[in-house]
Amino acid sequence: MNDWPGAWSDDNRDNRYGRGSANAQPESARVMRQVQRGQGGPGGQNPSAPPYGGGVPQQQPYAGDQGHGRGQDPYGNGYDSGYNTGQVYGGAPSVGGSDGGPGGPGAMSGPRSAPNWRKRIKWTAITVVTVLVVVSVGTYFWADGKLNRQVDLSKVIDRPDGGKGTNYLIVGSDSREGMSAEEKKALHTGSAEGKRTDSMMILHTGDNGPTLISLPRDSDVEIPTFVGSESGKTYKGTGKHTKLNAAYATDGPELLVRTVEFNTGLRIDHYVEIGFAGFANIVDAVGGVELTIPKGGMKDTKSGANFTAGKQTLNGEQALAFVRTRYALAGSDLDRTKNQQKFLAALASQTATPSTILNPFKLYPTMSAGLDTLVVDKDMGLFDLGDMFWAMKGVTGGDGKSMNMPISGSTGGNLVWDKAKVKTLVTELKNDDKVTVSGN
């Protein structure tokens, strides 16, 4: 039975589509049958699609067909008529043989766009900056909250006028607070009650580089009239001279600041104090401090120092023994202050390095060890503390100067300051001029 319209035979079909026929022609784009629609096209007509052959009958549109292959059945239900609007499918094959027609691999897709690296870099940078800001702010408030602001400089009376730059009074106390019996034995601190000053230094920072000045604890000074930091009572000065560390032992940091200002005429802007345990903990937190022991080495049974000559790294226990040693030194307390300056500058230099600052596993333990044991004045901030450490590092790097307070002699075992040199030194510091005075 022949089912082909117009009485086509299979042979006719074979000849048409080239099944083994000598007259076969390659089939290009196959055109679907077109149903005559309304007006359209350049001439206002929408011609029907050409038939496959003369025998193909024209198809009539279904009721409700709006020219999109959709119609309605007698019951009003919409359905697809199966005819399209004459769009050409197929066409020339694309490169690689993929079908460019609808539904083919290339349908509705174009070349894959390159990633927008500028946008990615932008958002990555924003994310990194945001994280750094959050961490920095969090660290700041964490560290600021750990500062022990115990010293109230507003209680200090009759203060000299301030000058240019900033002056820090840095005190190392022999406080054994919080130390166990084993720690006291290991650090050779003894078991004395209370606390006294073991070292005192003035650090000046300004435009002409930092200047670090050691104040020997045996310095001969006058304790002036003062107001008790706890009692609030006024204690009249007697004019009697005594050792500088007696001021601290009498009424703590406030009287020490009052005594230094009275005997020098230099205003102290900030106070910083650290005890034995805190000092040792900071050194251990940074992994030790590299130092060169002078020829002949150092040995002192009282401080526990036992060092051979040469470059070596000191841990917390060894560092404390080094800065406390004086009986094994020819210049006693004057030589000890020089060693203290040398070590503190080296500690600050090693702490303020990228290997410590950029390493959170080293930075936070170091900050925690220091902040837990530092005692500062009520107006001291983290930026002030940072300025102090950077200035200490500058002393080591050669950008500043370190010296002892100029000494003219001694009386009754006390070291007497050279008044003329001290006056010149203080004037230069107040004006933030380059220091020309030399110390002992």
Side-chain angles (χ1 to χ4, degrees), residues 225-279:
T225 298
F226 69 96
V227 174
S229 58
E230 297 294 335
S231 66
K233 296 180 180 179
T234 299
Y235 297 87
K236 293 290 184 179
T238 62
K240 181 181 179 181
H241 280 237
T242 184
K243 293 181 179 181
L244 180 59
N245 64 347
Y248 185 95
T250 301
D251 196 50
E254 288 84 0
L255 180 54
L256 178 60
V257 171
R258 167 76 173 129
T259 303
V260 169
E261 290 185 341
F262 178 82
N263 286 270
T264 63
L266 184 69
R267 186 183 181 95
I268 300 300
D269 298 297
H270 292 294
Y271 178 91
V272 181
E273 177 187 324
I274 188 168
F276 283 163
F279 180 82

Side-chain angles (χ1 to χ4, degrees), residues 55-325:
V56 179
Q58 289 286 345
Q59 301 295 320
Q60 299 300 321
Y62 288 88
D65 188 353
Q66 300 301 318
H68 300 288
R70 298 289 301 178
Q72 291 185 344
D73 62 14
Y75 300 100
N77 299 318
Y79 63 91
D80 193 342
S81 65
Y83 296 101
N84 71 352
T85 59
Q87 180 178 351
V88 178
Y89 292 82
S94 62
V95 177
S98 64
D99 185 2
M108 302 302 290
S109 65
R112 186 173 183 178
S113 60
N116 191 335
W117 289 109
R118 179 179 297 180
K119 188 174 182 180
R120 291 187 181 184
I121 293 173
K122 172 186 175 181
W123 283 106
T124 299
I126 291 175
T127 301
V128 171
V129 170
T130 301
V131 171
L132 289 177
V133 169
V134 171
V135 172
S136 299
V137 171
T139 300
Y140 176 86
F141 284 104
W142 166 78
D144 187 73
K146 292 178 74 68
L147 278 178
N148 298 315
R149 297 183 174 93
Q150 299 179 10
V151 181
D152 189 357
L153 295 183
S154 67
K155 296 179 179 179
V156 180
I157 62 173
D158 300 333
R159 308 191 68 186
D161 294 334
K164 298 178 181 179
T166 304
N167 300 310
Y168 299 88
L169 180 60
I170 303 172
V171 176
S173 76
D174 64 359
S175 172
R176 297 150 177 88
E177 184 177 352
M179 297 176 63
S180 65
E182 292 76 12
E183 289 174 327
K184 292 177 183 178
K185 182 178 180 180
L187 297 177
H188 300 272
T189 63
S191 300
E193 295 298 326
K195 59 180 182 179
R196 287 152 291 276
T197 54
D198 204 58
S199 62
M200 290 161 284
M201 302 177 189
I202 293 175
L203 175 66
H204 173 83
T205 65
D207 294 334
N208 285 291
T211 302
L212 184 62
I213 308 162
S214 286
L215 309 175
R217 69 177 189 172
D218 293 338
S219 295
D220 187 77
V221 297
E222 177 185 343
I223 296 181
T225 298
F226 69 96
V227 174
S229 58
E230 297 294 335
S231 66
K233 296 180 180 179
T234 299
Y235 297 87
K236 293 290 184 179
T238 62
K240 181 181 179 181
H241 280 237
T242 184
K243 293 181 179 181
L244 180 59
N245 64 347
Y248 185 95
T250 301
D251 196 50
E254 288 84 0
L255 180 54
L256 178 60
V257 171
R258 167 76 173 129
T259 303
V260 169
E261 290 185 341
F262 178 82
N263 286 270
T264 63
L266 184 69
R267 186 183 181 95
I268 300 300
D269 298 297
H270 292 294
Y271 178 91
V272 181
E273 177 187 324
I274 188 168
F276 283 163
F279 180 82
N281 289 339
I282 292 176
V283 174
D284 287 334
V286 298
V289 175
E290 188 176 83
L291 208 65
T292 299
I293 304 298
K295 186 177 180 179
M298 183 185 298
K299 188 171 183 178
D300 185 358
T301 56
K302 290 191 175 182
S303 68
N306 186 11
F307 307 115
T308 57
K311 184 180 292 186
Q312 51 198 284
T313 299
L314 307 185
N315 60 26
E317 176 185 337
Q318 294 168 328
L320 187 58
F322 177 81
V323 298
R324 295 184 63 222
T325 296

